[in-house]
Amino acid sequence: MRDETRLHLKEKDLIEKLIPMSITIGPFYIVTSKLRESLSSKRKQMAEAVLNYQTRKVRNKAEDVSNSFRDIQRKLFEKPNNMEDLHEHREWMKTVPGLLDDKKDDITNVIEEFNLLDEFLFNLSNEDFNSKWNLMSWPWKISNMMIQVEEQHVEEEERFRKLQIQDTANLNDRMDTLIMNVAGLSAHSNIDKAHEVANECRRLNKSLKECQELSSVYNNRERLFGIPITNVI
């Protein structure tokens, strides 16, 4: 792009140097200014066409790189629904510095292409100018966002910890009720109620399995919290 633009501008200067505004040949006075201006203008337009093409190309590249940072930004601010989500999000955040390092070359390449336009004093639109400087600021913005998100994570963890205590207490209460219901089955001796007792056994067995699954989930969360494991079942 640089060489092609320089060629057109060089040809433009050469035209203006070699073709005078007018020439005199014998008795004839020939005005050549319009021809000179036309040829010069065509070379200028060709140079501008190359620069405009470069602008569109670098604009698209800048947008692609910025979109990759926006993807990181969106993921950074995803709200965890439970302690498992929070742990997974924290683990992903550990990879973000590496992602930012990987994108340094992309930023540098795009900025260098913007600088090519500056060499020819090409006037960028406000949108393209802002795109250039926003692109350069993305790593700094993401780093600051991470600090903000880490603070939010502390608050989220405390909220999940309180929910964990309540959920464990509820599970304990549910287990106590199940134990009493199971114990109450021994009191049934009426053969006429065998069908009802069988249905109750199935219901209690289903509830017990649900409690076992919840206990496993809560125990895993306790490990993520780094607190002692509760043996509910």
Side-chain angles (χ1 to χ4, degrees):
M1 189 282 295
R2 179 188 285 112
D3 292 341
E4 187 176 359
T5 303
R6 283 177 175 171
L7 174 63
H8 291 309
L9 293 177
K10 182 179 179 180
E11 289 294 325
K12 172 182 174 296
D13 292 339
L14 188 61
I15 288 170
E16 293 174 352
K17 180 179 180 181
L18 295 179
I19 301 178
M21 299 296 289
S22 62
I23 56 175
T24 300
I25 301 177
F28 301 102
Y29 179 79
I30 303 173
V31 177
T32 56
S33 58
K34 289 186 178 181
L35 175 63
R36 180 178 184 267
E37 181 180 346
S38 176
L39 294 175
S40 174
S41 177
K42 285 182 180 179
R43 283 295 180 177
K44 181 180 179 182
Q45 289 171 6
M46 293 174 72
E48 289 176 346
V50 174
L51 293 174
N52 283 325
Y53 170 77
Q54 173 66 15
T55 302
R56 291 192 297 271
K57 186 174 73 169
V58 73
R59 180 188 300 143
N60 291 334
K61 288 184 178 180
E63 187 63 19
D64 288 343
V65 176
S66 288
N67 282 337
S68 67
F69 281 105
R70 292 186 186 102
D71 290 339
I72 295 175
Q73 180 185 32
R74 279 191 291 270
K75 189 169 180 61
L76 268 177
F77 286 101
E78 287 181 357
K79 290 291 184 181
N81 295 314
N82 48 50
M83 189 58 193
E84 292 91 335
D85 289 348
L86 179 57
H87 176 73
E88 182 180 343
H89 201 256
R90 281 173 165 167
E91 289 300 307
W92 172 79
M93 284 182 63
K94 293 177 183 178
T95 70
V96 172
L99 295 176
L100 298 183
D101 286 338
D102 291 342
K103 295 185 182 302
K104 284 182 179 179
D105 287 343
D106 294 335
I107 293 175
T108 299
N109 290 336
V110 174
I111 296 304
E112 286 178 353
E113 293 197 34
F114 270 119
N115 290 340
L116 284 178
L117 297 171
D118 292 338
E119 285 185 25
F120 297 101
L121 304 178
F122 187 81
N123 289 325
L124 294 174
S125 67
N126 289 336
E127 180 181 358
D128 290 330
F129 182 83
N130 290 334
S131 177
K132 174 183 177 180
W133 293 106
N134 285 336
L135 183 62
M136 296 173 65
S137 69
W138 266 116
W140 175 81
K141 289 193 292 186
I142 293 294
S143 296
N144 282 337
M145 290 173 192
M146 288 182 65
I147 295 173
Q148 179 184 347
V149 171
E150 287 168 355
E151 293 173 351
Q152 292 175 356
H153 280 175
V154 173
E155 297 175 0
E156 293 287 351
E157 181 174 351
E158 184 59 28
R159 181 170 68 87
F160 292 142
R161 189 186 299 273
K162 292 178 181 178
L163 288 174
Q164 173 75 5
I165 294 172
Q166 184 62 51
D167 289 340
T168 302
N170 291 339
L171 181 59
N172 282 324
D173 290 343
R174 186 176 177 184
M175 279 301 302
D176 290 342
T177 301
L178 277 174
I179 291 171
M180 288 188 293
N181 289 337
V182 171
L185 291 175
S186 61
H188 293 286
S189 58
N190 189 342
I191 193 66
D192 294 333
K193 294 186 177 181
H195 181 70
E196 294 179 12
V197 172
N199 287 337
E200 178 66 7
C201 287
R202 282 192 289 270
R203 186 188 69 80
L204 292 175
N205 185 56
K206 180 181 178 182
S207 295
L208 181 59
K209 288 182 178 179
E210 291 174 352
C211 289
Q212 288 175 328
E213 292 173 358
L214 286 174
S215 178
S216 177
V217 170
Y218 296 162
N219 287 162
N220 182 58
R221 289 177 182 173
E222 286 169 335
R223 294 185 186 94
L224 296 178
F225 283 119
I227 60 179
I229 303 301
T230 303
N231 294 318
V232 177
I233 299 179

Short mmCIF file of all heavy atoms in Angstrom, two decimals, residues 82-88 90-91 157 160-161 164 217-229:
data_model
loop_
_atom_site.label_atom_id
_atom_site.label_comp_id
_atom_site.label_asym_id
_atom_site.label_seq_id
_atom_site.Cartn_x
_atom_site.Cartn_y
_atom_site.Cartn_z
N ASN A 82 -24.21 -20.02 41.02
CA ASN A 82 -23.90 -20.80 42.21
C ASN A 82 -22.38 -20.83 42.40
O ASN A 82 -21.64 -20.24 41.61
CB ASN A 82 -24.47 -22.22 42.08
CG ASN A 82 -24.11 -22.85 40.74
OD1 ASN A 82 -22.96 -22.84 40.33
ND2 ASN A 82 -25.12 -23.37 40.03
N MET A 83 -21.95 -21.54 43.44
CA MET A 83 -20.52 -21.58 43.74
C MET A 83 -19.73 -22.28 42.65
O MET A 83 -18.58 -21.93 42.36
CB MET A 83 -20.30 -22.27 45.09
CG MET A 83 -18.87 -22.16 45.61
SD MET A 83 -18.35 -20.42 45.78
CE MET A 83 -16.58 -20.64 46.01
N GLU A 84 -20.34 -23.28 41.99
CA GLU A 84 -19.66 -23.97 40.90
C GLU A 84 -19.36 -23.00 39.75
O GLU A 84 -18.26 -23.00 39.19
CB GLU A 84 -20.50 -25.13 40.38
CG GLU A 84 -20.64 -26.28 41.37
CD GLU A 84 -21.86 -26.14 42.27
OE1 GLU A 84 -22.32 -24.99 42.48
OE2 GLU A 84 -22.36 -27.15 42.75
N ASP A 85 -20.36 -22.18 39.41
CA ASP A 85 -20.16 -21.19 38.35
C ASP A 85 -19.07 -20.19 38.74
O ASP A 85 -18.24 -19.80 37.90
CB ASP A 85 -21.46 -20.42 38.08
CG ASP A 85 -22.51 -21.26 37.39
OD1 ASP A 85 -22.17 -22.36 36.92
OD2 ASP A 85 -23.68 -20.82 37.33
N LEU A 86 -19.08 -19.78 39.99
CA LEU A 86 -18.09 -18.81 40.47
C LEU A 86 -16.68 -19.39 40.38
O LEU A 86 -15.75 -18.72 39.92
CB LEU A 86 -18.41 -18.41 41.91
CG LEU A 86 -17.45 -17.41 42.57
CD1 LEU A 86 -17.35 -16.12 41.76
CD2 LEU A 86 -17.89 -17.11 44.00
N HIS A 87 -16.54 -20.64 40.80
CA HIS A 87 -15.22 -21.29 40.73
C HIS A 87 -14.75 -21.40 39.27
O HIS A 87 -13.59 -21.10 38.97
CB HIS A 87 -15.32 -22.69 41.35
CG HIS A 87 -14.05 -23.47 41.24
ND1 HIS A 87 -12.93 -23.20 42.00
CD2 HIS A 87 -13.71 -24.53 40.43
CE1 HIS A 87 -11.96 -24.05 41.68
NE2 HIS A 87 -12.41 -24.86 40.73
N GLU A 88 -15.65 -21.80 38.39
CA GLU A 88 -15.31 -21.92 36.97
C GLU A 88 -14.92 -20.57 36.38
O GLU A 88 -13.98 -20.47 35.59
CB GLU A 88 -16.50 -22.50 36.21
CG GLU A 88 -16.24 -22.72 34.73
CD GLU A 88 -17.43 -23.30 33.99
OE1 GLU A 88 -18.34 -23.84 34.67
OE2 GLU A 88 -17.46 -23.22 32.75
N ARG A 90 -13.68 -17.98 38.00
CA ARG A 90 -12.37 -17.59 38.53
C ARG A 90 -11.24 -18.32 37.81
O ARG A 90 -10.19 -17.72 37.53
CB ARG A 90 -12.32 -17.89 40.03
CG ARG A 90 -13.02 -16.85 40.90
CD ARG A 90 -13.08 -17.29 42.35
NE ARG A 90 -13.42 -16.17 43.22
CZ ARG A 90 -13.79 -16.30 44.49
NH1 ARG A 90 -13.88 -17.52 45.03
NH2 ARG A 90 -14.07 -15.25 45.23
N GLU A 91 -11.45 -19.59 37.52
CA GLU A 91 -10.43 -20.35 36.79
C GLU A 91 -10.24 -19.78 35.39
O GLU A 91 -9.10 -19.68 34.90
CB GLU A 91 -10.84 -21.83 36.71
CG GLU A 91 -10.76 -22.57 38.03
CD GLU A 91 -9.36 -22.57 38.61
OE1 GLU A 91 -8.43 -22.97 37.89
OE2 GLU A 91 -9.20 -22.14 39.78
N GLU A 157 -19.29 -14.76 46.61
CA GLU A 157 -18.92 -15.91 47.42
C GLU A 157 -19.57 -15.85 48.80
O GLU A 157 -20.05 -16.88 49.31
CB GLU A 157 -17.40 -15.99 47.57
CG GLU A 157 -16.96 -17.19 48.39
CD GLU A 157 -15.45 -17.37 48.43
OE1 GLU A 157 -14.74 -16.66 47.68
OE2 GLU A 157 -14.98 -18.22 49.21
N PHE A 160 -23.19 -16.80 48.38
CA PHE A 160 -23.34 -18.24 48.18
C PHE A 160 -23.05 -19.02 49.46
O PHE A 160 -23.64 -20.07 49.71
CB PHE A 160 -22.42 -18.73 47.06
CG PHE A 160 -22.82 -18.24 45.69
CD1 PHE A 160 -21.86 -17.87 44.74
CD2 PHE A 160 -24.15 -18.13 45.33
CE1 PHE A 160 -22.22 -17.42 43.49
CE2 PHE A 160 -24.53 -17.69 44.07
CZ PHE A 160 -23.56 -17.34 43.16
N ARG A 161 -22.12 -18.49 50.29
CA ARG A 161 -21.80 -19.16 51.55
C ARG A 161 -23.02 -19.16 52.49
O ARG A 161 -23.32 -20.17 53.13
CB ARG A 161 -20.61 -18.46 52.23
CG ARG A 161 -20.06 -19.21 53.44
CD ARG A 161 -18.98 -18.37 54.11
NE ARG A 161 -17.88 -18.12 53.20
CZ ARG A 161 -16.84 -18.94 53.06
NH1 ARG A 161 -16.78 -20.05 53.77
NH2 ARG A 161 -15.86 -18.65 52.21
N GLN A 164 -25.44 -21.61 51.21
CA GLN A 164 -24.98 -22.96 51.51
C GLN A 164 -25.39 -23.38 52.92
O GLN A 164 -25.86 -24.51 53.14
CB GLN A 164 -23.45 -23.03 51.36
CG GLN A 164 -22.81 -24.34 51.80
CD GLN A 164 -23.03 -25.46 50.81
OE1 GLN A 164 -23.57 -25.25 49.73
NE2 GLN A 164 -22.62 -26.67 51.17
N VAL A 217 -23.94 -32.56 45.98
CA VAL A 217 -23.75 -31.20 45.45
C VAL A 217 -23.23 -30.27 46.54
O VAL A 217 -22.28 -29.50 46.33
CB VAL A 217 -25.08 -30.65 44.88
CG1 VAL A 217 -24.96 -29.16 44.55
CG2 VAL A 217 -25.48 -31.42 43.62
N TYR A 218 -23.85 -30.34 47.71
CA TYR A 218 -23.46 -29.45 48.80
C TYR A 218 -22.05 -29.77 49.30
O TYR A 218 -21.29 -28.85 49.65
CB TYR A 218 -24.46 -29.55 49.96
CG TYR A 218 -25.85 -29.07 49.60
CD1 TYR A 218 -26.96 -29.43 50.38
CD2 TYR A 218 -26.07 -28.28 48.48
CE1 TYR A 218 -28.24 -28.98 50.06
CE2 TYR A 218 -27.34 -27.84 48.14
CZ TYR A 218 -28.43 -28.21 48.93
OH TYR A 218 -29.69 -27.77 48.61
N ASN A 219 -21.70 -31.04 49.34
CA ASN A 219 -20.34 -31.42 49.75
C ASN A 219 -19.31 -30.87 48.78
O ASN A 219 -18.23 -30.41 49.19
CB ASN A 219 -20.20 -32.94 49.84
CG ASN A 219 -20.90 -33.53 51.04
OD1 ASN A 219 -21.17 -34.73 51.09
ND2 ASN A 219 -21.24 -32.73 52.03
N ASN A 220 -19.63 -30.95 47.49
CA ASN A 220 -18.71 -30.40 46.48
C ASN A 220 -18.55 -28.89 46.67
O ASN A 220 -17.44 -28.35 46.55
CB ASN A 220 -19.23 -30.70 45.08
CG ASN A 220 -18.29 -30.19 44.00
OD1 ASN A 220 -17.13 -30.56 43.95
ND2 ASN A 220 -18.80 -29.32 43.12
N ARG A 221 -19.64 -28.21 46.99
CA ARG A 221 -19.55 -26.77 47.22
C ARG A 221 -18.74 -26.45 48.47
O ARG A 221 -18.02 -25.46 48.51
CB ARG A 221 -20.97 -26.19 47.34
CG ARG A 221 -21.71 -26.16 46.01
CD ARG A 221 -23.13 -25.65 46.14
NE ARG A 221 -23.82 -25.69 44.84
CZ ARG A 221 -25.10 -25.43 44.68
NH1 ARG A 221 -25.87 -25.14 45.72
NH2 ARG A 221 -25.63 -25.48 43.46
N GLU A 222 -18.87 -27.31 49.48
CA GLU A 222 -18.06 -27.12 50.70
C GLU A 222 -16.58 -27.22 50.38
O GLU A 222 -15.76 -26.48 50.93
CB GLU A 222 -18.47 -28.14 51.75
CG GLU A 222 -19.83 -27.83 52.38
CD GLU A 222 -20.37 -28.97 53.23
OE1 GLU A 222 -19.99 -30.14 52.97
OE2 GLU A 222 -21.18 -28.69 54.12
N ARG A 223 -16.24 -28.12 49.47
CA ARG A 223 -14.83 -28.22 49.05
C ARG A 223 -14.39 -26.95 48.35
O ARG A 223 -13.25 -26.49 48.54
CB ARG A 223 -14.66 -29.42 48.11
CG ARG A 223 -14.88 -30.77 48.78
CD ARG A 223 -14.57 -31.92 47.82
NE ARG A 223 -14.92 -33.21 48.41
CZ ARG A 223 -16.08 -33.81 48.22
NH1 ARG A 223 -17.00 -33.24 47.41
NH2 ARG A 223 -16.34 -34.97 48.79
N LEU A 224 -15.27 -26.38 47.53
CA LEU A 224 -14.93 -25.13 46.83
C LEU A 224 -14.80 -23.97 47.81
O LEU A 224 -13.96 -23.09 47.63
CB LEU A 224 -16.01 -24.81 45.78
CG LEU A 224 -16.14 -25.81 44.62
CD1 LEU A 224 -17.27 -25.40 43.69
CD2 LEU A 224 -14.83 -25.92 43.84
N PHE A 225 -15.62 -24.00 48.86
CA PHE A 225 -15.53 -22.96 49.90
C PHE A 225 -14.32 -23.17 50.79
O PHE A 225 -13.87 -22.24 51.47
CB PHE A 225 -16.79 -22.97 50.77
CG PHE A 225 -17.99 -22.32 50.15
CD1 PHE A 225 -19.15 -23.04 49.92
CD2 PHE A 225 -17.97 -20.98 49.78
CE1 PHE A 225 -20.27 -22.45 49.34
CE2 PHE A 225 -19.08 -20.37 49.22
CZ PHE A 225 -20.23 -21.11 48.99
N GLY A 226 -13.81 -24.40 50.81
CA GLY A 226 -12.70 -24.72 51.70
C GLY A 226 -13.13 -24.89 53.13
O GLY A 226 -12.38 -24.55 54.06
N ILE A 227 -14.35 -25.38 53.34
CA ILE A 227 -14.87 -25.59 54.69
C ILE A 227 -15.07 -27.08 54.92
O ILE A 227 -15.10 -27.87 53.97
CB ILE A 227 -16.21 -24.83 54.89
CG1 ILE A 227 -17.28 -25.32 53.89
CG2 ILE A 227 -15.99 -23.33 54.75
CD1 ILE A 227 -18.62 -24.64 54.04
N PRO A 228 -15.18 -27.51 56.21
CA PRO A 228 -15.33 -28.94 56.51
C PRO A 228 -16.55 -29.55 55.81
O PRO A 228 -17.58 -28.90 55.64
CB PRO A 228 -15.51 -28.95 58.04
CG PRO A 228 -14.83 -27.70 58.49
CD PRO A 228 -15.09 -26.69 57.43
N ILE A 229 -16.40 -30.81 55.42
CA ILE A 229 -17.47 -31.52 54.74
C ILE A 229 -18.54 -31.96 55.75
O ILE A 229 -18.22 -32.52 56.81
CB ILE A 229 -16.94 -32.76 53.99
CG1 ILE A 229 -15.84 -32.34 53.00
CG2 ILE A 229 -18.05 -33.48 53.25
CD1 ILE A 229 -16.28 -31.34 51.96
#
